Amino acid sequence: MSHSTRRTPRTRLRLGLGAGAFLLAAALVPAPAHAVDRADVTDAADVTDYAITVDPAAKGAKIDDTMYGVFFEDINRAADGGLYAELVQNRSFEYSTDDNTSYTPLTAWTVEGTARVVDDDGRLNARNRNYLSLSAGSAVTNAGYNTGIRVEKGKAYDFSVWARAESGTSLTVSLQDADGTLAAARRVAVRKGGWAQYKAAFTATRTSSNGRLTVATSAATALDMVSLFPRDTYRHEPNGLRKDLAEKIAALHPGFVRFPGGCLVNTGSMEDYSAASGYQRKRSYQWKDTVGPVETRATNANFWGYNQSYGLGYYEYFRFAEDVGAMPLPVVPALVTGCGQNQAVDDDALLKRHIQDTLDLIEFANGPVTSKWGRLRARMGHPKPFHLTHIEVGNEENLPEEFFARFQQFRTAIDAKYPYMTVISNAGPDDSGSTFDTAWRLSKDAKVDMVDEHYYNSPQWFLQNNDRYDSYDRGGPKVFLGEYASGGNAFKNGLAEAAYMTGLERNADVVKLASYAPLFANEDYVQWRPDMVWFNNHASWESADYEVQKLFMTNVGDRVVPSTATGTPSLLAPISGAVGLSTWATSAAYDDVKVTDADGNTLLSDDFSGGAAQWTHTGGGSWSIQDGQYVQTDTAAENTMVSAGDPSWHDYDLHVKATKQSGKEGFLIAFGVKDTGNYYWWNIGGWNNTQTAVEQAVDGGKSTLIAKAGSVETGRAYDIDVKVRGRQVTLYLDGQEWGSFTDDKPAEPFRQVVTRDARTGDLIVKVVNAQSSAARTAIDLGGAKVAPKARVTTLAAAPDAVNTETSTPVAPVTSTFSGVADRFTYTFPANSVTFLRIKEK
């Protein structure tokens, strides 16, 4: 789009910067050798790079108070060892190889003397299966999480244990680290007889992050639920939350809290934890396992490879949502597994039980104290209802037909008993594709209230798709963007997400809820990146993405004020790059690779009869020449890229013959290969051999450009052809056209939205400038009567800046701008997110 306000050579400089300069993989027209500095411009006030025009009299979409929230899933040790303040790891000796193949019931414990974990009828209760039998004169020591148990000088810590002894005895409980005592030891008398809980308190005499808790006995004793809690937890609740982590969520002022998952909800067995089911450990997250006294709550194998104690359960989630002023939004299993398991559970009685469990959950949240589950809530300490209004059934199911048949039964039962509830469906794990399309069609046809979308894409995708929801049906189901992130924690990721969020707000009549994901990561136990808040046992820090979320979440406004902005001209060069071969958890053989230019001239020809000298191995795996083919044999390696050719190649045809030998998936045929993080590949038979798609990698983050269902047969030779012309790509499988796409959508780096805050009387002008030069911008407020000063909050940093425990290069800076008028000019810094709060008179 041209800029009518540009009348100097600076316009040529802006053309050189292009759309999303630091993010675009495509080549752009280079800037002139001599950049025009502002000091060279005679009439600087008359020269702008962009123009924003606001229509304050027009009425845009209403923005709900619940627009932005948080999604908490126990991933990256977000619960035990994280938000849940318990300092003892494996406090109930329930760790199992079901949780992690390296685990034993004594993981995180060391024994001095004789101790054994017992599973017999002498246990504490049926759902707490294991206990520790400690011999006379013996002791056990717990290592806590990360480097150990964290204590701070002068602070109090509450110890508790359930114990049973055949004769009266005493326990000696101590806190120490390698340098000595951390608190005066305590003697705890244990009465003769059955199980009872015993307590003691410590006050730390010095600070340490390497503490150990030791429990020693003078006579044979059975122990269970060995616990140490900081007294200073969030809101000072027993069984409470780690204060610094909870406060970081509270500081966001979230409109909702989605919990408990995620893949925890729709993976594993759908049976309960009982004798009838054989006490299955690998179960979906089921709310009834997680309420009542903590010593009676079930344990479970966490999908992400560790144990979850359920000390942090549904009651605590509801209380926390209430404490931070957020709407609770629980997710329940739909009896269709996802996250790579993808099985529909065909058991009508089990389905009916889960539907009843969901109705019971609503009663637990909202029912009177005279009801069964409302009475339990009251006994746990909360007689008043939690005012639950939204519930989600299922999470990222890859079998949309099977999922939706079950979803409908949940919805019908909920509507019949609780017609005020909003029942949320979902669109699967991707932003597009056959699962997504089918899920949306079913939801629209059934007039579902709301559909949850999830996607994790590259920063470029987020810059390119700001208009995603502009064309959504205003009369169809509303959108809950329950999980999204741009694939990194650098400031360039936050910039791309901020640019995208302006589009979410502009479409607040369609997008009603949105939450970045995941929320937490313990730096020593990471299964997923990126994450919004990072921590260890003694500190926590906000990512650049957190700072972006906080800026938007605390400056939402009540209604969108319609506005328009000029864009950034860009001239995209043809798709260019070398070619590549790869595999993912698969062994495959490649042969007869040929690349010809648009005129038919040969650029590369390799039948591997003379070796593979033309190819460079940049990925994992094991490649070798076998029987005149180039073969990758490692079925565990996940990206085994080899590449050949010139990164400047464009407008070419690529031919490959490929044969799957063994493994989970099919072929990865790459083109437009710039380097290890920037390329396109045709993923044939990906996603456990269920789908074929073209993915684009930009700085290591992938986005799906086109996808269809499809699989690959083992032992069959496939002819694969890719035709690249300009920015259009056509793909052929065994001579038949499979599909095509044109990658010419601009990654616009300059985005904005304007909202009005009725409470403060402010217009909030929100501008993202995701490029490496400042953006001098003419702002026309459309005749609005405004105060001359604006309160400004700015996030600005280098694109690759990352916040750490010791360094915070991405942090908000507040200032005052005194040049506000009906029409004024403001220069938005390079690589910045800026909010101007302008008071209307």
Short mmCIF file of all heavy atoms in Angstrom, two decimals, residues 68 252 484 490-501 516 532 542-555 768 795 803 810 812 832-833 835:
data_model
loop_
_atom_site.label_atom_id
_atom_site.label_comp_id
_atom_site.label_asym_id
_atom_site.label_seq_id
_atom_site.Cartn_x
_atom_site.Cartn_y
_atom_site.Cartn_z
N TYR A 68 -8.82 -11.68 27.70
CA TYR A 68 -7.52 -12.32 27.84
C TYR A 68 -7.44 -13.05 29.17
O TYR A 68 -7.86 -12.54 30.21
CB TYR A 68 -6.39 -11.29 27.78
CG TYR A 68 -6.26 -10.58 26.46
CD1 TYR A 68 -6.35 -9.20 26.38
CD2 TYR A 68 -6.02 -11.29 25.29
CE1 TYR A 68 -6.21 -8.53 25.17
CE2 TYR A 68 -5.87 -10.63 24.07
CZ TYR A 68 -5.98 -9.26 24.02
OH TYR A 68 -5.83 -8.61 22.81
N LEU A 252 -1.17 -10.11 35.91
CA LEU A 252 -1.74 -10.03 34.57
C LEU A 252 -3.21 -9.62 34.59
O LEU A 252 -3.76 -9.26 33.56
CB LEU A 252 -1.62 -11.39 33.87
CG LEU A 252 -0.20 -11.91 33.59
CD1 LEU A 252 -0.26 -13.37 33.14
CD2 LEU A 252 0.49 -11.06 32.55
N TYR A 484 -1.77 -20.52 22.03
CA TYR A 484 -1.00 -20.01 20.89
C TYR A 484 0.33 -19.47 21.38
O TYR A 484 0.47 -19.05 22.53
CB TYR A 484 -1.77 -18.92 20.13
CG TYR A 484 -1.87 -17.59 20.84
CD1 TYR A 484 -1.01 -16.55 20.54
CD2 TYR A 484 -2.84 -17.37 21.81
CE1 TYR A 484 -1.09 -15.32 21.18
CE2 TYR A 484 -2.95 -16.15 22.46
CZ TYR A 484 -2.07 -15.13 22.15
OH TYR A 484 -2.16 -13.93 22.80
N ALA A 490 12.28 -14.94 22.55
CA ALA A 490 12.99 -13.69 22.24
C ALA A 490 11.97 -12.57 22.00
O ALA A 490 10.78 -12.82 21.78
CB ALA A 490 13.87 -13.87 21.02
N PHE A 491 12.44 -11.35 22.02
CA PHE A 491 11.52 -10.23 21.85
C PHE A 491 10.86 -10.24 20.48
O PHE A 491 9.73 -9.79 20.33
CB PHE A 491 12.25 -8.90 22.09
CG PHE A 491 11.32 -7.71 22.12
CD1 PHE A 491 10.15 -7.74 22.85
CD2 PHE A 491 11.62 -6.56 21.40
CE1 PHE A 491 9.28 -6.64 22.88
CE2 PHE A 491 10.77 -5.47 21.42
CZ PHE A 491 9.60 -5.50 22.16
N LYS A 492 11.55 -10.78 19.45
CA LYS A 492 10.91 -10.85 18.14
C LYS A 492 9.66 -11.71 18.19
O LYS A 492 8.70 -11.46 17.44
CB LYS A 492 11.89 -11.38 17.09
CG LYS A 492 12.39 -12.79 17.32
CD LYS A 492 13.45 -13.16 16.28
CE LYS A 492 14.03 -14.53 16.53
NZ LYS A 492 15.12 -14.85 15.60
N ASN A 493 9.64 -12.72 19.08
CA ASN A 493 8.43 -13.52 19.24
C ASN A 493 7.32 -12.70 19.89
O ASN A 493 6.17 -12.74 19.45
CB ASN A 493 8.73 -14.75 20.09
CG ASN A 493 9.79 -15.63 19.48
OD1 ASN A 493 10.96 -15.57 19.86
ND2 ASN A 493 9.41 -16.44 18.51
N GLY A 494 7.69 -11.96 20.92
CA GLY A 494 6.69 -11.10 21.56
C GLY A 494 6.15 -10.05 20.61
O GLY A 494 4.96 -9.72 20.63
N LEU A 495 7.01 -9.49 19.75
CA LEU A 495 6.56 -8.51 18.77
C LEU A 495 5.53 -9.11 17.81
O LEU A 495 4.50 -8.50 17.52
CB LEU A 495 7.74 -7.97 17.97
CG LEU A 495 8.68 -6.99 18.68
CD1 LEU A 495 9.94 -6.78 17.87
CD2 LEU A 495 7.96 -5.66 18.93
N ALA A 496 5.82 -10.32 17.31
CA ALA A 496 4.90 -10.96 16.38
C ALA A 496 3.56 -11.27 17.06
O ALA A 496 2.49 -11.09 16.47
CB ALA A 496 5.53 -12.24 15.82
N GLU A 497 3.63 -11.72 18.31
CA GLU A 497 2.39 -12.01 19.05
C GLU A 497 1.62 -10.73 19.32
O GLU A 497 0.38 -10.71 19.23
CB GLU A 497 2.74 -12.73 20.35
CG GLU A 497 3.24 -14.15 20.13
CD GLU A 497 4.20 -14.66 21.18
OE1 GLU A 497 4.39 -13.95 22.20
OE2 GLU A 497 4.76 -15.75 20.99
N ALA A 498 2.32 -9.65 19.65
CA ALA A 498 1.65 -8.38 19.89
C ALA A 498 0.95 -7.89 18.62
O ALA A 498 -0.19 -7.42 18.67
CB ALA A 498 2.66 -7.34 20.36
N ALA A 499 1.63 -8.02 17.48
CA ALA A 499 1.01 -7.62 16.22
C ALA A 499 -0.27 -8.42 15.98
O ALA A 499 -1.29 -7.90 15.56
CB ALA A 499 2.00 -7.82 15.07
N TYR A 500 -0.20 -9.71 16.29
CA TYR A 500 -1.37 -10.58 16.09
C TYR A 500 -2.50 -10.22 17.05
O TYR A 500 -3.68 -10.27 16.68
CB TYR A 500 -0.95 -12.03 16.31
CG TYR A 500 -1.94 -13.05 15.84
CD1 TYR A 500 -2.15 -13.27 14.48
CD2 TYR A 500 -2.68 -13.80 16.74
CE1 TYR A 500 -3.05 -14.20 14.03
CE2 TYR A 500 -3.58 -14.75 16.30
CZ TYR A 500 -3.76 -14.95 14.95
OH TYR A 500 -4.67 -15.89 14.51
N MET A 501 -2.15 -9.83 18.26
CA MET A 501 -3.17 -9.50 19.25
C MET A 501 -3.98 -8.26 18.86
O MET A 501 -5.14 -8.13 19.25
CB MET A 501 -2.53 -9.33 20.62
CG MET A 501 -2.00 -10.65 21.19
SD MET A 501 -1.00 -10.46 22.68
CE MET A 501 -2.30 -10.29 23.92
N TYR A 516 -2.24 -17.23 25.89
CA TYR A 516 -0.92 -17.73 25.49
C TYR A 516 -0.66 -19.06 26.20
O TYR A 516 -1.15 -19.31 27.30
CB TYR A 516 0.13 -16.70 25.89
CG TYR A 516 1.57 -17.07 25.56
CD1 TYR A 516 2.19 -16.54 24.44
CD2 TYR A 516 2.29 -17.91 26.40
CE1 TYR A 516 3.52 -16.85 24.16
CE2 TYR A 516 3.62 -18.23 26.12
CZ TYR A 516 4.22 -17.70 25.00
OH TYR A 516 5.53 -18.01 24.71
N MET A 532 5.78 -18.83 29.13
CA MET A 532 5.62 -17.42 29.46
C MET A 532 6.40 -17.00 30.70
O MET A 532 6.98 -15.92 30.75
CB MET A 532 4.13 -17.10 29.64
CG MET A 532 3.85 -15.61 29.68
SD MET A 532 2.19 -15.15 29.19
CE MET A 532 1.22 -15.84 30.49
N GLU A 542 10.01 -13.14 34.11
CA GLU A 542 9.03 -12.98 33.05
C GLU A 542 9.72 -12.96 31.69
O GLU A 542 10.72 -12.25 31.51
CB GLU A 542 8.25 -11.67 33.23
CG GLU A 542 7.53 -11.54 34.56
CD GLU A 542 8.34 -10.79 35.60
OE1 GLU A 542 9.59 -10.73 35.46
OE2 GLU A 542 7.75 -10.28 36.56
N SER A 543 9.20 -13.71 30.75
CA SER A 543 9.72 -13.68 29.39
C SER A 543 9.27 -12.41 28.69
O SER A 543 8.40 -11.67 29.17
CB SER A 543 9.23 -14.89 28.61
OG SER A 543 7.83 -14.79 28.40
N ALA A 544 9.85 -12.17 27.51
CA ALA A 544 9.38 -11.05 26.68
C ALA A 544 7.92 -11.24 26.32
O ALA A 544 7.14 -10.27 26.26
CB ALA A 544 10.24 -10.97 25.41
N ASP A 545 7.50 -12.49 26.11
CA ASP A 545 6.10 -12.78 25.76
C ASP A 545 5.18 -12.40 26.93
O ASP A 545 4.08 -11.90 26.73
CB ASP A 545 5.94 -14.26 25.43
CG ASP A 545 7.03 -14.76 24.51
OD1 ASP A 545 8.17 -14.94 24.99
OD2 ASP A 545 6.77 -14.95 23.32
N TYR A 546 5.64 -12.66 28.16
CA TYR A 546 4.87 -12.25 29.34
C TYR A 546 4.65 -10.75 29.35
O TYR A 546 3.55 -10.26 29.62
CB TYR A 546 5.61 -12.68 30.61
CG TYR A 546 4.95 -12.21 31.90
CD1 TYR A 546 4.09 -13.03 32.60
CD2 TYR A 546 5.22 -10.94 32.42
CE1 TYR A 546 3.49 -12.61 33.79
CE2 TYR A 546 4.63 -10.50 33.60
CZ TYR A 546 3.78 -11.35 34.29
OH TYR A 546 3.18 -10.91 35.45
N GLU A 547 5.71 -10.00 29.07
CA GLU A 547 5.59 -8.54 29.10
C GLU A 547 4.58 -8.05 28.06
O GLU A 547 3.82 -7.11 28.32
CB GLU A 547 6.95 -7.88 28.89
CG GLU A 547 7.96 -8.15 29.99
CD GLU A 547 7.56 -7.55 31.34
OE1 GLU A 547 6.53 -6.86 31.44
OE2 GLU A 547 8.29 -7.82 32.31
N VAL A 548 4.57 -8.69 26.90
CA VAL A 548 3.57 -8.34 25.88
C VAL A 548 2.17 -8.67 26.38
O VAL A 548 1.25 -7.86 26.30
CB VAL A 548 3.87 -9.07 24.56
CG1 VAL A 548 2.66 -9.02 23.62
CG2 VAL A 548 5.09 -8.45 23.89
N GLN A 549 1.99 -9.88 26.91
CA GLN A 549 0.68 -10.27 27.41
C GLN A 549 0.21 -9.33 28.51
O GLN A 549 -0.95 -8.91 28.54
CB GLN A 549 0.73 -11.71 27.92
CG GLN A 549 0.95 -12.76 26.85
CD GLN A 549 -0.21 -12.89 25.90
OE1 GLN A 549 -1.37 -12.79 26.29
NE2 GLN A 549 0.09 -13.12 24.64
N LYS A 550 1.10 -8.99 29.41
CA LYS A 550 0.72 -8.11 30.52
C LYS A 550 0.30 -6.74 30.02
O LYS A 550 -0.69 -6.15 30.51
CB LYS A 550 1.88 -7.98 31.51
CG LYS A 550 1.54 -7.16 32.75
CD LYS A 550 2.71 -7.11 33.71
CE LYS A 550 2.36 -6.28 34.95
NZ LYS A 550 3.52 -6.21 35.88
N LEU A 551 1.02 -6.22 29.04
CA LEU A 551 0.68 -4.90 28.51
C LEU A 551 -0.72 -4.90 27.90
O LEU A 551 -1.52 -4.00 28.14
CB LEU A 551 1.72 -4.49 27.47
CG LEU A 551 1.65 -3.05 26.93
CD1 LEU A 551 1.72 -2.04 28.05
CD2 LEU A 551 2.76 -2.82 25.91
N PHE A 552 -1.05 -5.94 27.14
CA PHE A 552 -2.38 -6.03 26.55
C PHE A 552 -3.44 -6.33 27.61
O PHE A 552 -4.53 -5.75 27.59
CB PHE A 552 -2.41 -7.11 25.46
CG PHE A 552 -1.95 -6.62 24.11
CD1 PHE A 552 -0.60 -6.59 23.79
CD2 PHE A 552 -2.87 -6.20 23.16
CE1 PHE A 552 -0.18 -6.14 22.55
CE2 PHE A 552 -2.45 -5.74 21.92
CZ PHE A 552 -1.10 -5.71 21.61
N MET A 553 -3.14 -7.23 28.54
CA MET A 553 -4.15 -7.67 29.50
C MET A 553 -4.51 -6.60 30.51
O MET A 553 -5.61 -6.62 31.08
CB MET A 553 -3.66 -8.94 30.20
CG MET A 553 -3.59 -10.15 29.28
SD MET A 553 -2.72 -11.58 29.97
CE MET A 553 -3.96 -12.24 31.06
N THR A 554 -3.61 -5.67 30.75
CA THR A 554 -3.89 -4.61 31.72
C THR A 554 -4.28 -3.30 31.05
O THR A 554 -4.42 -2.28 31.72
CB THR A 554 -2.67 -4.38 32.64
OG1 THR A 554 -1.52 -4.09 31.84
CG2 THR A 554 -2.39 -5.61 33.49
N ASN A 555 -4.45 -3.32 29.74
CA ASN A 555 -4.87 -2.13 28.99
C ASN A 555 -5.87 -2.52 27.90
O ASN A 555 -5.73 -2.11 26.75
CB ASN A 555 -3.67 -1.43 28.35
CG ASN A 555 -2.71 -0.85 29.36
OD1 ASN A 555 -2.91 0.26 29.85
ND2 ASN A 555 -1.67 -1.60 29.68
N VAL A 768 2.31 -1.66 17.17
CA VAL A 768 3.44 -2.58 17.13
C VAL A 768 4.29 -2.23 15.91
O VAL A 768 3.78 -2.17 14.79
CB VAL A 768 2.96 -4.04 17.04
CG1 VAL A 768 4.17 -4.99 17.01
CG2 VAL A 768 2.02 -4.38 18.19
N LEU A 795 7.48 -1.08 25.20
CA LEU A 795 8.40 -2.21 25.24
C LEU A 795 9.29 -2.09 24.01
O LEU A 795 8.78 -2.10 22.88
CB LEU A 795 7.66 -3.54 25.19
CG LEU A 795 6.85 -3.97 26.40
CD1 LEU A 795 6.01 -5.20 26.06
CD2 LEU A 795 7.77 -4.28 27.57
N ASN A 803 14.80 -12.38 28.17
CA ASN A 803 14.88 -12.18 29.61
C ASN A 803 15.36 -13.46 30.30
O ASN A 803 14.97 -14.56 29.90
CB ASN A 803 13.51 -11.78 30.18
CG ASN A 803 13.11 -10.37 29.80
OD1 ASN A 803 13.91 -9.61 29.24
ND2 ASN A 803 11.88 -9.99 30.10
N VAL A 810 13.99 -6.89 28.22
CA VAL A 810 12.64 -6.56 27.76
C VAL A 810 11.80 -6.24 28.98
O VAL A 810 11.40 -7.12 29.75
CB VAL A 810 12.00 -7.73 26.98
CG1 VAL A 810 10.63 -7.32 26.46
CG2 VAL A 810 12.90 -8.16 25.83
N PRO A 812 8.88 -2.97 30.49
CA PRO A 812 8.12 -1.77 30.11
C PRO A 812 8.76 -0.50 30.66
O PRO A 812 9.30 -0.48 31.77
CB PRO A 812 6.75 -2.02 30.73
CG PRO A 812 7.01 -2.94 31.88
CD PRO A 812 8.15 -3.82 31.46
N SER A 832 9.33 -2.37 18.67
CA SER A 832 8.65 -1.86 19.86
C SER A 832 7.17 -2.17 19.86
O SER A 832 6.55 -2.38 18.81
CB SER A 832 8.84 -0.34 19.96
OG SER A 832 8.14 0.32 18.91
N VAL A 833 6.61 -2.21 21.06
CA VAL A 833 5.18 -2.20 21.30
C VAL A 833 4.89 -0.98 22.15
O VAL A 833 5.51 -0.80 23.21
CB VAL A 833 4.71 -3.47 22.04
CG1 VAL A 833 3.19 -3.48 22.18
CG2 VAL A 833 5.20 -4.73 21.35
N PHE A 835 1.89 1.66 23.82
CA PHE A 835 0.50 1.98 24.15
C PHE A 835 0.45 3.44 24.58
O PHE A 835 1.13 3.85 25.53
CB PHE A 835 -0.01 1.11 25.29
CG PHE A 835 -0.43 -0.29 24.88
CD1 PHE A 835 0.14 -0.93 23.79
CD2 PHE A 835 -1.40 -0.96 25.59
CE1 PHE A 835 -0.24 -2.20 23.41
CE2 PHE A 835 -1.80 -2.24 25.24
CZ PHE A 835 -1.22 -2.87 24.14
#
